[in-house]
Amino acid sequence: MTEDTSPLAAESVAAVAAAAPAGTHDADIDRLFASTGPLGQAVGGFRPRQAQTEMAKAIADAIAQQRTLIAEAGTGTGKTFAYLVPALLWGGKVIVSTGTKNLQDQLFLRDIPTVRRALSAPVSVALLKGRANYVCHFHLERTLQNGRMTSREDVGYLREISRFMKTTSSGDKAELSNVPETAPIWNLVTSTRDTCMGAECQYYQDCFVMKARKEAQQADVVVVNHHLFFADVALKDTGVAELLPSANTIIFDEAHQLPEVATLFFGNTVSTSQILELCRDVLAEGLSHARDGADWGQVVLPVEKAARDMRLAFPQDVVRLAVNQIAASSIFFPALETMRAQLHGMIAVLEKQAERAETIEQCRTRAVELGYKLDGWNSAPAAAGGKPPKKAKAADAEDDEGSVLWVEAFSSSLQLHQTPLSIAPIFNKQREGVARSWIFTSATLAVKNDFQHYASQMGLWDEPAQSWPSPFDYGEQGLLYVPQNLPQPNSPDYTDAVIDAALPVIEASGGRAFLLCTTIRAVNRAAERLRAEFEARHLDFPLMVQGEAGRTELLDRFRAAGNAVLVGSQSFWEGVDVRGEALSLVIIDKLPFSPPDDPVLAARIDALESKGMNGFMHHQLPAAIINLKQGAGRLIRDETDRGVLMICDPRLISKGYGRRIWQSLPPFRRTRELSAVQAFWSGETVGS
């Protein structure tokens, strides 16, 4: 999807600004962000903010000098305009990567057109998403023909998608609101890297994925998301790889998410679900195109059994274990060897039959890649034939720091992970070569103005970093409340104690609250208690609970209700914007430390401590602070918001590191008295 503008008039802002030599943009920025400037005239409600103007100058300098900048901007700074203005005027070929597809759409449909119009900037803009977001002509046609529908609802959705295809120019499923994004039908009408026919496809000339990539190559500004960017670094399959060589400026918004996203894609994962899905496809394609070539039922049966036996090696429903935590006598290890052997046997059959159909060749390619991942998981030499998958190369190339091997069992599947201990070496390799600007921006990158944690995660040790404060008057607009007499967070009745402390605060605020929990178990227990208490106390506060509906629907209902209470876990800690009185209380049950059973965290702490560092102070604490800053950031979203941040965890007061935590939060007034909280909403003066 792309947008163009008409040629620029000679006297336009963009023409004047573009003529300025590098390093002399400060006067231009001052003029552009002044109340009488083009943004003030074109954007309703625009007001000059010193932090926004200063941030824009710093980004303009980084672009002019083709250098890296880490830029933390407090909530309300207006960081989107602060990076868009210099990027559109002086950035050359720009890639903007943001945290989610929703934010991508917001940038492409609202923010960039607004700034471009205000500046009369003659830039073309393209939106690029992963292939699963675009309807595939081939798979839609095949699904319409063979009708593998499992429900009447899917039949209706398929009819909607078929009609949509006759009118859409982009094929982007986000344009079809009648079919939910999570509907299973999308899996049947979109392609994956494994199931795309590529240039062999009869619809190649009309392919929406190829069209989006071509538009992105031709555009001045391309909007992507972090998953797409890093999937491409690992897989070379999203169209970003073709953009990078020509890009002059790369901007990561919501950059605090990058370490987690990059870790996901720079590692390797293979699951029993992938293996069983491959077996289903091998059986279907073998019977369709090479029925006489093999006894296909007997080809897949031993592979399916081996996959199930691997899962049965762990009797628990849910488990996460590093490889060195699995008993040497465990049946998992022989089951893994059997899995490898049986998969290689199936590959041998597929190699003999691959020339009979393109879809069988695709199955062979997938099987070989899974074989490499299984071989690599135990550092065994590859034995599946063919070349290693590109993703495996990315992980292998990293690597002074090493990686951790671990398993994760779910109720019906098992995942084998190979996760790098540090993404810094891989990401630095990605940034080498062509000189360009790299901008990393978010509201939460520093711990008390110290960027060391983030810089070390990303390998940005010697790069300049700056922080601009929020324009909000937190001392007047908000209150930090830490209740007294709560038990330690590891006590069995902790969630009940949180609810007991929260109920009078929820009553005082008239609902209008988020309760953010660190575990799903706490979400469920809190919801159960609140439901019972609201009924017993005749409190008419609508209760909304994560999992009972999609996040977007829950938030829409929360805003509309005006007095609701929403209980959620990690997905509600960030990327949620509820302005005004609908949200006036944010309750956080515990400090968001990573779970102690996380094998990757344990390995990273061991690696730090082997270098003489303190794993808690250098990794766990700063990560928790940045996460807590995100949760706290839900409360005050503009200059007129008022509210209370209630952190229930007594460690904020009792532990020596607690001071470091609350000093990293916005400068709210602080209290431990319930009466002060109640007075806050009744309009009385509250002491700190």
Side-chain angles (χ1 to χ4, degrees):
M1 188 186 296
T2 187
E3 286 192 357
D4 273 296
T5 55
S6 55
L8 179 68
E11 65 273 19
S12 75
V13 171
V16 172
T24 61
H25 297 311
D26 284 7
D28 294 315
I29 295 285
D30 282 329
R31 187 172 65 255
L32 294 168
F33 283 89
S35 56
T36 56
L39 291 170
Q41 294 170 25
V43 181
F46 178 85
R47 290 189 314 283
R49 282 169 271 191
Q50 184 181 351
Q52 183 182 51
T53 305
E54 295 301 321
M55 181 180 174
K57 289 177 182 177
I59 290 172
D61 284 346
I63 288 172
Q65 296 159 25
Q66 296 189 313
R67 61 175 172 80
T68 296
L69 176 66
I70 305 171
E72 182 183 69
T75 306
T77 303
K79 64 179 166 62
T80 305
F81 280 20
Y83 68 70
L84 282 180
V85 168
L88 295 193
L89 293 179
W90 308 298
K93 174 85 172 185
V94 179
I95 298 174
V96 181
S97 180
T98 191
T100 64
K101 286 182 287 187
N102 285 344
L103 287 172
Q104 246 189 302
D105 289 333
Q106 180 180 310
L107 268 172
F108 179 75
L109 297 172
R110 190 184 77 188
D111 296 335
I112 293 177
T114 299
V115 173
R116 186 177 60 180
R117 203 163 41 243
L119 304 181
S120 302
V123 294
S124 55
V125 187
L127 181 69
L128 184 61
K129 298 181 181 179
R131 63 164 70 248
N133 292 278
Y134 301 99
V135 183
C136 168
H137 291 85
F138 173 77
H139 287 286
L140 174 62
E141 185 65 28
R142 198 162 80 156
T143 303
L144 286 167
Q145 285 175 357
N146 66 23
R148 289 188 293 166
M149 298 300 99
T150 55
S151 70
R152 183 176 298 173
E153 191 175 48
D154 277 348
V155 173
Y157 289 155
L158 185 62
R159 200 176 297 121
E160 291 272 5
I161 294 168
S162 187
R163 277 202 294 265
F164 168 68
M165 285 291 273
K166 293 178 177 134
T167 58
T168 180
S169 61
S170 72
D172 185 347
K173 68 182 188 183
E175 293 178 7
L176 184 57
S177 56
N178 294 352
V179 181
E181 189 179 357
T182 53
I185 187 67
W186 288 119
N187 295 328
L188 297 177
V189 298
T190 55
S191 70
T192 66
R193 188 169 71 111
D194 296 326
T195 62
C196 174
M197 305 286 283
E200 304 294 316
C201 181
Q202 67 197 83
Y203 299 104
Y204 185 74
Q205 296 301 321
D206 301 315
C207 175
F208 289 123
V209 173
M210 299 314 298
K211 182 184 175 195
R213 292 180 182 180
K214 187 176 179 183
E215 288 176 351
Q217 282 182 288
Q218 295 170 348
D220 300 308
V221 179
V222 185
V223 184
V224 302
N225 61 64
H226 301 336
H227 280 80
L228 186 75
F229 188 94
F230 285 102
D232 193 88
V233 171
L235 297 170
K236 303 290 182 285
D237 180 57
T238 67
V240 175
E242 293 86 2
L243 302 176
L244 278 177
S246 60
N248 307 106
T249 303
I250 297 174
I251 299 170
F252 292 105
D253 197 349
E254 303 297 336
H256 64 278
Q257 298 176 1
L258 296 184
E260 187 175 337
V261 176
T263 297
L264 180 70
F265 285 104
F266 288 157
N268 273 313
T269 295
V270 58
S271 73
T272 55
S273 298
Q274 287 175 295
I275 294 166
L276 293 172
E277 189 178 313
L278 171 66
C279 288
R280 283 195 294 272
D281 290 347
V282 167
L283 181 62
E285 300 305 331
L287 291 174
S288 295
H289 301 292
R291 184 177 286 269
D292 58 343
D295 183 345
W296 292 102
Q298 288 306 308
V299 170
V300 302
L301 193 63
V303 181
E304 290 177 329
K305 182 179 185 305
R308 293 194 175 100
D309 286 347
M310 273 174 56
R311 172 60 191 92
L312 293 172
F314 301 96
Q316 308 97 316
D317 263 2
V318 178
V319 66
R320 308 169 92 194
L321 294 171
V323 67
N324 59 5
Q325 293 176 301
I326 304 172
S329 58
S330 169
I331 62 169
F332 165 73
F333 294 108
L336 176 59
E337 289 305 318
T338 302
M339 178 73 255
R340 287 193 184 109
Q342 298 296 356
L343 183 61
H344 292 163
M346 185 167 81
I347 289 169
V349 175
L350 289 169
E351 283 175 344
K352 291 176 183 171
Q353 304 298 323
E355 63 186 21
R356 298 183 65 174
E358 179 66 29
T359 49
I360 297 179
E361 167 58 22
Q362 282 182 342
C363 288
R364 186 201 71 82
T365 303
R366 287 163 62 191
V368 167
E369 183 154 341
L370 288 173
Y372 266 109
K373 288 182 179 178
L374 284 172
D375 289 339
W377 196 81
N378 209 22
S379 305
K387 293 182 179 177
K390 288 170 182 164
K391 187 166 184 178
K393 282 184 180 174
D396 294 342
E398 86 64 25
D399 203 335
D400 303 329
E401 302 269 348
S403 57
V404 58
L405 302 176
W406 57 290
V407 301
E408 189 170 19
F410 301 95
S411 56
S412 59
S413 68
L414 181 73
Q415 293 185 346
L416 310 184
H417 302 282
Q418 181 180 7
T419 304
L421 289 179
S422 171
I423 62 157
I426 322 171
F427 189 56
N428 270 336
K429 198 163 212 169
Q430 179 64 26
R431 293 174 61 234
E432 286 172 359
V434 180
R436 59 171 64 96
S437 306
W438 296 79
I439 311 295
F440 301 83
T441 185
S442 167
T444 54
L445 295 174
V447 176
K448 203 181 163 192
N449 289 326
D450 180 354
F451 291 87
Q452 184 179 346
H453 174 67
Y454 184 77
S456 63
Q457 283 184 300
M458 297 298 296
L460 305 172
W461 295 284
D462 299 319
E463 303 293 1
Q466 285 181 255
S467 186
W468 291 272
S470 167
F472 300 155
D473 184 353
Y474 285 108
E476 186 58 39
Q477 292 179 250
L479 187 67
L480 171 60
Y481 171 48
V482 182
Q484 302 181 57
N485 303 320
L486 260 74
Q488 288 303 304
N490 59 358
S491 66
D493 57 349
Y494 182 75
T495 301
D496 286 299
V498 166
I499 297 304
D500 291 340
L503 276 164
V505 184
I506 292 170
E507 284 195 64
S509 68
R512 305 184 298 156
F514 276 6
L515 171 53
L516 301 178
C517 302
T518 53
T519 65
I520 294 295
R521 180 184 297 174
V523 168
N524 294 335
R525 177 59 185 158
E528 180 187 346
R529 274 290 313 277
L530 287 174
R531 197 168 275 119
E533 294 286 351
F534 286 176
E535 188 174 338
R537 299 176 186 219
H538 306 291
L539 296 173
D540 190 21
F541 303 142
L543 184 64
M544 292 154 195
V545 184
Q546 178 178 333
E548 292 181 355
R551 188 172 92 149
T552 303
E553 183 183 338
L554 283 176
L555 288 169
D556 287 344
R557 280 162 42 191
F558 180 89
R559 290 186 188 98
N563 67 336
V565 176
L566 188 150
V567 187
S569 68
Q570 187 62 47
S571 65
F572 285 90
W573 282 64
E574 60 178 279
V576 172
D577 190 2
V578 180
R579 292 168 189 255
E581 294 185 357
L583 178 60
S584 298
L585 170 64
V586 172
I587 305 165
I588 292 175
D589 71 336
K590 293 182 187 179
L591 299 176
F593 291 110
S594 296
D597 67 340
D598 182 340
V600 179
L601 174 65
R604 285 176 172 164
I605 290 171
D606 286 347
L608 286 170
E609 293 184 345
S610 71
K611 297 174 184 174
M613 300 168 77
N614 182 308
F616 179 78
M617 295 303 291
H618 286 99
H619 186 80
Q620 287 174 281
L621 181 61
I625 289 173
I626 285 172
N627 204 354
L628 185 65
K629 283 171 70 175
Q630 278 291 329
R634 300 314 98 214
L635 183 63
I636 306 295
R637 305 300 295 173
D638 67 27
E639 284 93 338
T640 60
D641 281 354
R642 294 180 81 249
V644 171
L645 172 63
M646 177 178 176
I647 301 178
C648 300
D649 197 322
R651 292 174 294 183
L652 194 63
I653 305 298
S654 65
K655 297 292 185 184
Y657 58 76
R659 183 180 184 87
R660 185 166 169 82
I661 294 175
W662 61 253
Q663 284 182 337
S664 296
L665 294 174
F668 297 114
R669 281 171 293 159
R670 302 186 302 277
T671 186
R672 303 206 69 192
E673 301 297 332
L674 176 61
S675 59
V677 177
Q678 292 166 327
F680 177 86
W681 278 303
S682 64
E684 299 171 28
T685 302
V686 185
S688 61

